[in-house]
Amino acid sequence: MKPLKQFCAVTLQEQLHDELFEQIQSGKYQPGERIPSEMQLSQMYNISRVTVRNAIQQLVDENILVKRHGKGTFVKVEVHTEGVFTGGSFTDTCLRMNATPSTTIIECKINKIEKEVASYFQDHPSHCIEIKRVRFVDKDPCIIELDYFPTKYDFLLTNDLKELSLLKFVSTQTGLKPSNFEDHFTIVYANKEFAELLNCTIGTPLLEVQQRVLTLDDTTIYVNKQYILTSKYIYAVRSSK
């Protein structure tokens, strides 16, 4: 911590602003981390709370800090926005943002299929291959994905899917070309499992995107459900007339 200069052409507010900004940039305070309170900063730098409050507000106005009522002031978490030209590909979106995508496979197995999901397939199967994944952007968990495939796609059970785009892999293996995407949106709230996987609190609102991936003749290739922590990742949709 550098002491602030009482007699300087640069005001104490500006000095504190620059000092906090430098600490955030250097990683002393990480995204999502709470900074010291106004009182603590006032004592640390031997300046008035009014000066501290004004410096903090300047950083809030610059979208660097965020105030949470009753909790304190936090370094703002970067929100990643999906590209509308990536065809729903998480990997392509990350690469376009110069971010590093990664995936953890929670499970990949044959499971009993939900009636709602089964209705999207022509033969209304009783079982499917279910893949549960957590998607990370720069090591930050943003999305839980559940993918439902016909059991005839058994090649999914014997391949390492961690670094693959399922959309491209299934298309290559089956010859089916995805041409249409049908999305349904709703808000759900994180249960204990999802809260642990996404590193958020139980009850945090999540955007549920249920997507059906279709061929040109409207045959369902697979069904995908995404549970998105929108404070970290924004799902983008492009419409055309």
Side-chain angles (χ1 to χ4, degrees):
M1 182 183 73
K2 295 186 297 187
L4 303 186
K5 299 175 182 180
Q6 297 290 335
F7 303 100
C8 179
V10 180
T11 66
L12 292 173
Q13 177 184 323
E14 291 171 324
Q15 289 181 60
L16 180 59
H17 167 277
D18 294 345
E19 171 72 1
L20 291 174
F21 180 76
E22 183 180 316
Q23 291 174 350
I24 293 167
Q25 290 293 98
S26 68
K28 179 177 180 180
Y29 298 122
Q30 297 289 323
E33 184 178 350
R34 186 173 64 180
I35 67 169
S37 67
E38 288 182 6
M39 181 176 293
Q40 289 171 323
L41 288 169
S42 175
Q43 293 171 348
M44 289 165 61
Y45 291 98
N46 193 27
I47 55 177
S48 72
R49 288 187 63 177
V50 172
T51 299
V52 171
R53 188 176 301 119
N54 290 338
I56 288 175
Q57 187 58 50
Q58 186 178 346
L59 289 164
V60 169
D61 293 341
E62 293 170 352
N63 220 25
I64 295 168
L65 294 177
V66 59
K67 290 183 177 179
R68 297 177 186 166
H69 183 68
K71 295 184 178 180
T73 304
F74 296 78
V75 180
K76 188 164 184 180
V77 175
E78 181 182 1
V79 180
H80 307 285
T81 302
E82 182 171 291
V84 295
F85 296 107
T86 56
S89 169
F90 173 82
T91 300
D92 289 349
T93 289
C94 291
L95 295 177
R96 283 174 177 262
M97 295 188 298
N98 293 319
T100 303
S102 58
T103 300
T104 295
I105 306 293
I106 305 299
E107 59 184 15
C108 178
K109 63 182 182 180
I110 294 178
N111 206 358
K112 189 173 181 179
I113 194 170
E114 301 173 15
K115 287 184 179 179
E116 179 189 8
V117 176
S119 67
Y120 290 125
F121 294 95
Q122 289 179 321
D123 54 351
H124 299 276
S126 60
H127 289 74
C128 68
I129 295 174
E130 181 178 313
I131 302 172
K132 182 186 292 185
R133 305 181 289 171
V134 180
R135 315 304 296 269
F136 297 79
V137 181
D138 291 336
K139 299 183 180 180
D140 205 12
C142 296
I143 304 171
I144 295 170
E145 281 197 25
L146 300 175
D147 298 285
Y148 305 92
F149 295 89
T151 53
K152 62 184 178 182
Y153 297 171
D154 54 2
F155 55 82
L156 292 167
L157 300 171
T158 56
N159 280 272
D160 183 4
L161 307 175
K162 188 167 64 174
E163 304 299 331
L164 292 176
S165 164
L166 287 183
L167 186 64
K168 293 179 180 178
F169 183 55
V170 170
S171 179
T172 300
Q173 294 292 317
T174 64
L176 297 174
K177 302 299 182 184
S179 298
N180 298 303
F181 299 86
E182 181 181 287
D183 292 339
H184 298 269
F185 303 92
T186 190
I187 298 296
V188 299
Y189 299 92
N191 57 21
K192 182 178 179 182
E193 179 193 10
F194 282 14
E196 290 176 354
L197 292 174
L198 291 173
N199 193 25
C200 65
T201 58
I202 295 174
T204 296
L206 305 174
L207 175 65
E208 181 191 75
V209 181
Q210 181 170 281
Q211 182 179 81
R212 187 157 60 124
V213 182
L214 305 157
T215 61
L216 191 60
D217 64 357
D218 280 349
T219 298
T220 299
I221 301 175
Y222 71 98
V223 175
N224 167 276
K225 288 186 179 182
Q226 300 180 53
Y227 297 90
I228 301 171
L229 189 58
T230 56
S231 61
K232 297 181 180 179
Y233 192 92
I234 296 175
Y235 187 91
V237 177
R238 181 184 176 95
S239 300
S240 59
K241 295 180 179 180

